[in-house]
């Protein structure tokens, strides 16, 4: 019965490798799979137990499963075609619904047909959009008129890559009214499920106070978005988020209680009780109910895992067999992963598998009294915390230590809360006049549970670790696995010490590689429609040239891109920040950074503070500069910077424009700071947003413009990058920093044609994501 375990482990690793493209999948994999399966089959069908082949059978099976996972795993769709922006007529299938408060929410819709009204531009079939603000009927084919806003996530190289997104969406679509859609087709199972869930949601809202309704909807319907932000943060910080993530606890209680009740009812039928084992009949009847619970509670991957596990166990019991918890769990993982390979990669599913593995692998000792029972509960809480810690740390950045104690004390309360919510759901739906009787204890228990979560969250502390890299993540997973499955205290101690030592060495290695010396490394970052470049200087110092921004709304690149990347690179301060000019797509992200990290010097054109009363965008930039001064940052202007190259961090840095000061006759774009950074034989030219006027003025000076790498001015606008400038710079590589979808059409086609005609290599960050260009002074390397 141990065979499914290596199968499931190998298959999940294969899915993960395929989704991250960590390994290529050549045609030879198919032959390898067939060979591994054949050898494993031979070992299982007659090879002596002492044979090396028989002993190698689990490894061969794991290898075969790994290859299968590679072939079935979801390919990355980050390069999927973006839908056209604007009002469009859409048709598609509703695949996932996320409910918020009331009837509001959003639905993930896979488009089958669509076109923009203005010009008929097609929305490609297979495009996935989040459609709102109303929650559409799940499983239905709908037609709607909606306003599409294409969306591309920030894509940048990092030591801490994100977990793969199983369902990447290409944009958002907003309905003009809550009923601006038509249901074209709705298969009866999905229609029935939608009606039941809608009825329960309505009854919860009608019979409970808002706080209790939010809790009940999250527990019974899998609507975690209904919890308020403060309540959700408290539940997460206390380590009790799993109570609201439909998984084993929900299925065990809801399905198990029904089977117990059914067994009791069958006992009143004497002739049945005399001829058959009632428990086997009850679990056989309960199999469909166990599967239905996952659908009823929102269809979360962790819920399906638990439902499939329960259904498999009950199938074996109904057949008179004794199920193995580990084998059944592995089989459930295999079944769900084969049917829904994308869903099997969600963090919630991985957390569910890790927690279940920790529980089923725990040594079982009979409890002799209350103290033994408490000791076992505490040990189980510690095991699940340890098992899930690598995933939690990778995804959320910390592991709440109070979760061990909180789980010990609050899981029984959460279980009672779940039972009360289930009873109230039945009473409020079937016997509405009696809803007040079950609603009161549910409301009191939900308030007590949330208040306890707030108290535990306030206690802290949490293990906060800088974002681990791949090797640190693998070390954490391996170490936690050995600690869980080892039975000897001495072995656990040795493994714990070895894991901590290895993590320390890996941390030292990471800090060394992410603060390189003896080379100039420039990271041109994807921050959407804006500019941001991190420059690692040859002596280990760090310079930031612009920080992006999002004046049109959306994620702040400072908080969403720069700070996470700096943490992943273990950089806790900036030696030099250059603000090329006071436009929000260049300085917007600097606010979040300046609040978190110290900044040594800040170079600025001086125009923002001089024109603070003339230009609206200058006010925010001037305030940012004033705040930097109060934090001890020295602010320098062109009158201090122009005139001579200076050695900064081992590289030669020249401010070429505007010199000796900004020109009041030019706008902020043409007064952008233009920097040339040279190390050895290679130079980088950062041209800000200068346009034709500034380009001509710059060309008329005696400034050295030749550079190996050019940061293309003004995001590739047709008002910049003249042929004369390109000839003077003569770069080998040009980098265009523009959003994949921006209202300006950057980079303009004629500019891209001019760049490609005269420059050997052109990289558009909006298309390719962030890029790292480094040089040791002689060689130039590019990492996309």
């Amino acid at each position: 019965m141990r065979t499914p375990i290596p199968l499931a482990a190998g298959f999940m690793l294969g899915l993960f490798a395929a989704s991250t493209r960590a390994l290529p999948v050549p045609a030879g994999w198919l032959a390898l799979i067939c060979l591994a399966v054949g050898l494993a089959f031979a070992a299982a069908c007659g090879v002596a137990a002492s044979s090396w082949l028989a002993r190698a059978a689990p490894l061969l099976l794991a290898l075969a499963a790994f290859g299968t996972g590679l072939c079935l795993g979801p390919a990355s769709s980050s390069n999927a075609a973006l839908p056209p922006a604007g009002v469009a007529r859409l048709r598609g299938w509703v695949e996932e619904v996320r409910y918020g408060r009331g009837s509001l929410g959003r639905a993930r819709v896979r488009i089958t047909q669509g076109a923009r009204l203005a010009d008929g531009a097609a929305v490609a079939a297979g495009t996935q959009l989040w459609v709102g603000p109303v929650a559409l009927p799940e499983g239905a084919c709908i037609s709607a008129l909606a306003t599409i806003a294409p969306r591309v996530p920030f894509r940048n190289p990092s030591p801490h890559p994100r977990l793969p997104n199983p369902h990447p969406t290409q944009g958002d679509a907003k309905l003009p009214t809550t009923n601006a859609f038509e249901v074209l087709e709705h298969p009866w199972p999905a229609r029935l499920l939608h009606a039941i869930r809608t009825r329960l949601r309505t009854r919860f809202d009608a019979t409970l106070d808002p706080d209790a309704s939010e809790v009940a909807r999250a527990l019974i319907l899998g609507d975690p978005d209904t919890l308020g932000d403060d309540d959700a943060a408290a539940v997460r910080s206390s380590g009790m988020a799993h109570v609201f993530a439909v998984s084993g606890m929900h299925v065990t209680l809801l399905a198990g209680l029904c089977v117990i009740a059914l067994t009791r009812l069958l006992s009143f039928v004497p002739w049945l009780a005399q001829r058959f084992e009632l428990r086997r009949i009850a679990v056989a009847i309960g199999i469909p109910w166990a599967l239905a619970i996952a659908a009823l509670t929102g269809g979360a991957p962790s819920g399906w895992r638990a439902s499939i596990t329960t259904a498999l166990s009950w199938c074996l019991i109904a057949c008179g067999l004794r199920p193995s918890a580990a084998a059944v769990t592995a089989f459930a993982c295999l079944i769900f992963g084969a049917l829904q390979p994308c869903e099997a990669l969600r963090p919630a599913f991985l957390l569910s598998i890790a927690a279940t593995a920790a529980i089923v692998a725990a040594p079982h000792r009979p409890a002799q009294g209350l103290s033994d029972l408490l000791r076992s509960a505490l040990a189980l809480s510690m095991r699940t915390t340890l098992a899930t810690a690598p995933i939690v740390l990778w995804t959320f950045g910390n592991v709440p230590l109070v979760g061990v104690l909180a789980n010990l004390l609050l899981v029984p309360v959460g279980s009672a809360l779940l039972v009360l919510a289930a009873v109230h759901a039945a009473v409020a739906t079937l016997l509405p006049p009696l809803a007040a009787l079950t609603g009161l204890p549910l409301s009191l228990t939900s308030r007590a549970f949330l208040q306890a979560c707030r108290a535990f969250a306030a206690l802290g502390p949490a293990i906060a670790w800088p974002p681990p890299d791949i090797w640190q993540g693998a070390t954490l997973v391996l170490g936690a696995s050995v600690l869980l499955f080892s039975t000897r205290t001495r072995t656990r101690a040795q493994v714990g010490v070895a894991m901590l030592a290895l993590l320390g060495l890996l941390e030292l290695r990471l800090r060394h590689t992410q603060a390189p010396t003896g080379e100039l490394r420039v990271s041109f970052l994807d921050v959407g429609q804006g500019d941001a470049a991190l420059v690692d200087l040859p002596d280990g110092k760090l310079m930031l040239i612009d920080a992006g921004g999002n004046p049109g709304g959306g994620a702040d690149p400072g908080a969403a891109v720069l700070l996470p990347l700096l943490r992943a690179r273990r950089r806790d301060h900036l030696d030099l920040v250059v603000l090329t000019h006071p436009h929000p797509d260049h300085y917007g992200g600097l606010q979040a950074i300046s609040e978190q990290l110290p900044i040594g010097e800040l170079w600025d054109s001086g125009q923002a503070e001089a024109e603070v009363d003339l230009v609206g965008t200058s006010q925010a930039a001037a305030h940012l500069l004033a705040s930097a001064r109060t934090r001890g940052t020295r602010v320098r202007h062109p009158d201090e910077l122009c005139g001579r190259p200076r050695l900064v961090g081992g590289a030669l840095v020249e401010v070429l424009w505007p010199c000796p000061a900004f020109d009041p006759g030019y706008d902020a774009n043409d007064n952008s700071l233009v920097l040339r950074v040279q190390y050895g034989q290679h130079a980088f030219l950062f041209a800000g947003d200068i346009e034709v006027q500034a380009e001509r003025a710059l060309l008329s000076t005696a400034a050295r413009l030749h550079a190996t790498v050019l940061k293309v001015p003004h995001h590739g606008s047709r008002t910049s990058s003249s042929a004369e400038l390109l000839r003077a710079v003569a770069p080998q590589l040009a980098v265009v920093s523009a959003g994949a979808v921006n209202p300006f059409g950057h980079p303009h086609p004629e500019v891209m044609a001019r760049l490609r005609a005269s420059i050997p290599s052109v990289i558009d960050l909006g298309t390719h994501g962030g890029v790292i260009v480094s040089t040791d002074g002689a060689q130039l390397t590019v990492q996309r």
Side-chain angles (χ1 to χ4, degrees):
M1 293 298 289
R2 293 182 179 274
T3 300
I5 298 175
L7 276 173
F11 185 71
M12 292 299 296
L13 285 174
L15 289 180
F16 186 83
S19 65
T20 56
R21 294 188 174 182
L23 293 173
V25 189
W29 269 113
L30 296 178
L32 180 60
I33 294 167
C34 294
L35 175 62
V37 171
L39 291 174
F41 182 79
C45 293
V47 177
S50 60
S51 169
W52 67 268
L53 194 54
R55 291 194 295 270
L59 178 60
L60 294 172
L61 285 171
L63 184 60
F66 179 78
T68 305
L70 276 176
C71 294
L72 295 181
S76 173
S77 58
S78 59
N79 295 324
L82 295 173
V87 180
R89 172 69 65 181
L90 304 172
R91 177 177 178 145
W93 287 92
V94 181
E95 295 192 338
E96 180 184 356
V97 179
R98 301 282 294 186
Y99 285 91
R101 297 185 175 184
S103 61
L104 298 180
R106 57 178 184 158
R108 181 171 53 82
V109 179
R110 184 178 293 275
I111 303 300
T112 57
Q113 184 180 351
R116 185 164 56 187
L117 294 185
D119 55 5
V123 179
T127 299
Q128 296 191 85
L129 302 174
W130 281 110
V131 181
V134 64
L136 302 173
E138 190 166 5
C141 179
I142 59 102
S143 173
L145 192 68
T147 302
I148 297 177
R151 175 163 52 91
V152 176
F154 300 123
R155 300 153 296 163
N156 292 292
S158 171
H160 178 75
R162 301 176 182 176
L163 285 174
N165 183 1
H167 295 293
T169 54
Q170 286 78 49
D172 301 295
K174 184 177 181 180
L175 300 174
T177 61
T178 57
N179 59 352
F181 66 93
E182 178 185 359
V183 177
L184 304 177
E185 184 179 349
H186 204 182
W188 73 264
R191 186 168 65 251
L192 176 62
L193 180 63
H194 174 69
I196 294 173
R197 286 170 55 81
T198 301
R199 172 68 174 169
L200 289 173
R201 193 173 289 109
T202 302
R203 296 308 302 156
F204 282 144
D205 290 341
T207 59
L208 297 170
D209 61 80
D211 291 341
S213 177
E214 292 171 4
V215 170
R217 287 175 58 180
L219 285 169
I220 301 299
L221 299 175
D223 295 343
D225 291 352
T226 59
L227 291 177
D229 293 340
D230 292 341
D231 288 339
V235 169
R236 188 168 53 250
S237 299
S238 63
M240 299 303 297
H242 63 90
V243 171
F244 295 98
V246 177
S247 57
M249 184 182 81
H250 296 69
V251 176
T252 300
L253 285 174
L254 297 180
L257 289 175
C258 288
V259 166
I260 292 172
L262 183 58
T263 304
R264 186 67 176 169
L265 287 175
L266 292 175
S267 68
F268 291 104
V269 185
W271 66 269
L272 197 62
Q274 293 170 2
R275 291 174 173 80
F276 301 99
E277 186 181 342
L278 297 182
R279 181 167 177 263
R280 289 172 62 182
I281 297 175
V283 296
I285 297 173
I287 290 172
W289 169 238
L291 295 173
I293 288 176
L296 180 66
T297 53
S302 53
W304 277 116
R305 193 276 313 161
S307 290
I308 294 172
T309 302
T310 303
L312 287 174
S313 297
W314 286 357
C315 281
L316 293 172
I317 293 172
C319 295
L321 301 175
R322 183 178 180 180
S324 163
V328 168
T329 300
F331 265 126
C333 182
L334 276 171
I335 292 171
F336 184 79
L339 294 176
Q340 298 286 342
C342 290
E343 299 288 344
L345 296 172
R346 286 195 177 188
F349 182 77
L350 300 176
L351 287 169
S352 174
I353 290 293
T356 304
I359 293 171
V360 300
H364 297 284
R365 300 184 180 91
Q368 301 297 326
L370 180 60
S371 61
D372 286 348
L373 189 62
L374 290 175
R375 191 180 299 111
S376 298
L378 179 60
L380 203 60
S381 178
M382 293 177 66
R383 286 181 65 85
T384 54
T385 300
L386 176 63
T388 56
I391 304 172
V392 172
L393 186 61
W394 186 277
T395 307
F396 303 110
N398 62 70
V399 178
L401 290 179
V402 295
V404 175
L405 182 59
N407 275 273
L408 178 64
L409 299 178
L410 295 186
V411 162
V413 181
S415 301
L417 188 59
L418 175 61
V419 173
L420 288 172
V423 171
H424 180 75
V427 172
T429 304
L430 303 176
L431 301 169
L434 302 180
L437 297 178
T438 55
L440 180 60
L442 175 59
S443 296
L444 293 176
T445 307
S446 63
R447 287 198 200 100
F449 181 80
L450 292 176
Q451 190 62 38
C453 287
R454 295 189 193 100
F456 277 109
L459 290 177
I463 297 178
W465 184 285
D469 68 356
I470 291 289
W471 294 107
Q472 289 176 326
T475 301
L476 287 168
V477 171
L478 182 61
S481 301
V482 174
L483 290 173
L484 283 171
F485 293 102
S486 176
T487 57
R488 298 178 58 188
T489 304
R490 182 177 179 181
T491 302
R492 290 176 179 171
Q494 291 172 340
V495 170
V497 171
M499 182 176 68
L500 292 176
L502 182 55
L503 286 173
L505 291 175
L506 290 172
E507 181 68 14
L508 292 175
R509 169 189 166 274
L510 182 62
R511 290 178 180 272
H512 175 71
T513 57
Q514 295 306 316
T517 56
E519 69 173 298
L520 179 68
R521 183 177 69 175
V522 180
S523 302
F524 296 96
L525 302 179
D526 172 18
V527 290
Q529 182 62 16
D531 274 12
L534 279 171
V535 183
D536 291 285
L537 296 164
D539 69 350
K541 292 182 179 178
L542 184 62
M543 174 167 60
L544 172 66
I545 301 177
D546 288 328
N550 202 340
D556 174 13
V561 176
L562 287 163
L563 281 176
L565 182 58
L566 289 168
R567 292 191 188 105
R569 291 185 175 185
R570 308 303 194 260
R571 306 306 292 256
D572 55 7
H573 71 281
L574 292 166
D575 298 284
L576 172 61
V577 172
V578 178
L579 175 57
T580 59
H581 62 293
H583 279 172
D585 58 332
H586 292 252
Y587 68 72
L590 193 56
Q591 181 67 42
I593 295 172
S594 62
E595 292 173 354
Q596 298 290 326
L597 302 179
I599 298 172
E601 286 191 11
L602 197 156
W603 295 2
D604 171 63
S605 68
Q607 190 167 11
E609 293 174 307
E611 299 179 354
V612 65
D613 296 326
L614 302 178
V615 183
T617 59
S618 294
Q619 296 177 1
H623 176 73
L624 191 63
L625 293 168
S627 298
R629 287 191 179 92
T630 61
R631 294 187 177 96
T633 300
R634 180 176 180 179
V635 178
R636 293 176 179 266
H637 294 141
D639 57 346
E640 296 182 71
L641 304 172
C642 293
R644 62 181 179 83
R646 64 185 62 221
L647 198 63
V648 179
L652 199 63
V653 180
E654 298 177 81
V655 175
L656 306 179
W657 181 264
C659 291
F662 77 92
D663 188 335
Y666 288 163
D667 66 5
N669 281 346
D670 274 325
N671 276 317
S672 294
L673 288 177
V674 176
L675 274 74
R676 185 176 184 272
V677 181
Q678 182 171 353
Y679 183 62
Q681 302 173 17
H682 297 284
F684 293 72
L685 187 68
F686 298 89
D689 274 5
I690 61 171
E691 299 183 274
V692 173
Q693 284 184 309
E695 289 182 10
R696 290 173 181 168
L698 185 59
L699 288 167
S700 67
T701 69
R704 290 189 301 168
L705 296 177
H706 176 71
T708 311
V709 180
L710 169 67
K711 199 292 295 182
V712 173
H714 201 191
H715 321 292
S717 166
R718 62 172 59 93
T719 60
S720 304
S721 303
S722 63
E724 293 79 9
L725 178 69
L726 298 182
R727 280 197 297 270
V729 179
Q732 299 176 17
L733 170 66
V735 178
V736 182
S737 182
V741 179
N742 65 81
F744 312 105
H746 295 159
H748 290 138
E750 57 267 40
V751 174
M752 289 299 289
R754 191 157 60 240
L755 293 172
R756 292 190 173 113
S758 59
I759 301 174
S761 180
V762 179
I763 297 176
D764 176 9
L765 301 186
T767 301
H768 301 289
V771 62
I772 299 176
V773 184
S774 56
T775 179
D776 59 0
Q779 301 295 323
L780 193 76
T781 59
V782 179
Q783 175 191 347
R784 299 197 183 191

